[in-house]
Amino acid sequence: MSDGPESSEQPLACAPRTALLAADLPDDPRPPEPARSPYRTMPGSERSALWRQRLHEAEAGLTRFLVSLGDQVKLTTWFALQSELFADLPEPHASPQDWQRVFFRGQALMERFLVDHYGESVLADWARNNAEVHREVEPDHGRGAADPIHRIARQAELYGSDYEFDDEVPDSPAHAALNITHCAIWDYREKARRSGVRLTLASPCTYCTEALSANIRAKGYHPTHRLRSGPTGHGCRWEATAPQTATATAPQPADAEEPQEA
């Protein structure tokens, strides 16, 4: 969910708004429908702010990574990239769609810059540097392990993905989980490809899994993820676990299936 496709000025200061589902009528024989997308009611201003924050995390993380390389950075090329990143910036109160366009363009440019100059292997290094910025600018809401999982849900919402929190294991300070049943980043990438946007990576998961894992670790939790595909399209499952809980509940090698560790 790097976010995103190839995978802000303002940190979000308030707790995320969550849609409340109306209770079923007593005589309704149908089972209650799960809250697949509880952030559907996120207002446009909050969506725009999250796009800006994500762009800030990515660009500041890339700057941080390039500084760590010392004299290997080709400054003229880097300055040219920055000018492209911030060309045509919309007004601060522009629509989320306008800021989404800027983020996607910036993400694609930064991925191409890194892969062309340093190779695909450095994407994990970039993700770790982005996560250091994320650690500082993403507010803590006091939900423990649920905080980074809710951030993933909010990013999924930006693309219109289908997702649901784990009903069997409710969120807690020690553990939280999210299932993305249809990742709309794939849809958005294909739309962008058809419109002429050059995509560097064959799959958005190449960078997205590195980025989300690094963000969870930056907040002090142990990440695990599993990719999946099926009738509903591409998807994934994410978990964040407090370190002591992750150690105590780690599966033994004899287990039939083990989550893919991020």
Side-chain angles (χ1 to χ4, degrees), residues 145-163:
D147 272 357
I149 292 298
H150 278 256
R151 164 63 187 256
I152 295 174
R154 293 174 68 240
Q155 288 187 195
E157 176 60 38
L158 290 181
Y159 289 97
S161 296
D162 293 327
Y163 58 93

Side-chain angles (χ1 to χ4, degrees), residues 114-172:
L114 284 171
V115 172
D116 287 351
H117 288 85
Y118 305 104
E120 192 171 304
S121 62
V122 304
L123 292 179
D125 298 317
W126 179 34
R128 284 190 289 271
N129 280 274
N130 292 357
E132 291 303 313
V133 180
H134 171 82
R135 186 205 310 275
E136 301 300 328
V137 301
E138 175 67 16
D140 291 327
H141 297 285
R143 295 171 297 199
D147 272 357
I149 292 298
H150 278 256
R151 164 63 187 256
I152 295 174
R154 293 174 68 240
Q155 288 187 195
E157 176 60 38
L158 290 181
Y159 289 97
S161 296
D162 293 327
Y163 58 93
E164 57 188 349
F165 295 100
D166 195 327
D167 291 333
E168 295 182 1
V169 184
D171 290 352
S172 74

Side-chain angles (χ1 to χ4, degrees), residues 173-229:
H175 178 267
L178 178 77
N179 293 306
I180 297 178
T181 54
H182 176 81
C183 177
I185 294 175
W186 286 81
D187 305 334
Y188 187 75
R189 278 168 49 91
E190 288 309 308
K191 179 180 178 182
R193 190 196 305 277
R194 290 193 297 270
S195 68
V197 175
R198 176 186 169 190
L199 303 179
T200 302
L201 302 178
S203 164
C205 307
T206 303
Y207 174 74
C208 186
T209 54
E210 295 284 359
L212 297 183
S213 298
N215 283 354
I216 293 172
R217 288 194 190 96
K219 288 298 186 177
Y221 298 93
H222 177 79
T224 57
H225 74 272
R226 183 184 294 123
L227 302 178
R228 61 189 185 186
S229 61

Side-chain angles (χ1 to χ4, degrees), residues 8 41 54 61 79 94 96 100 114 136 141 146 160 176-177 237-238 258:
S8 55
T41 57
R54 295 184 65 203
F79 294 155
Q100 179 181 21
L114 284 171
E136 301 300 328
H141 297 285
R237 175 180 172 83
W238 285 91
E258 183 177 75

Side-chain angles (χ1 to χ4, degrees), residues 23-45:
D24 289 325
L25 295 176
D27 58 350
D28 190 342
R30 296 171 300 175
E33 183 177 352
R36 298 183 67 84
S37 307
Y39 286 113
R40 279 286 186 253
T41 57
M42 188 162 55
S45 59

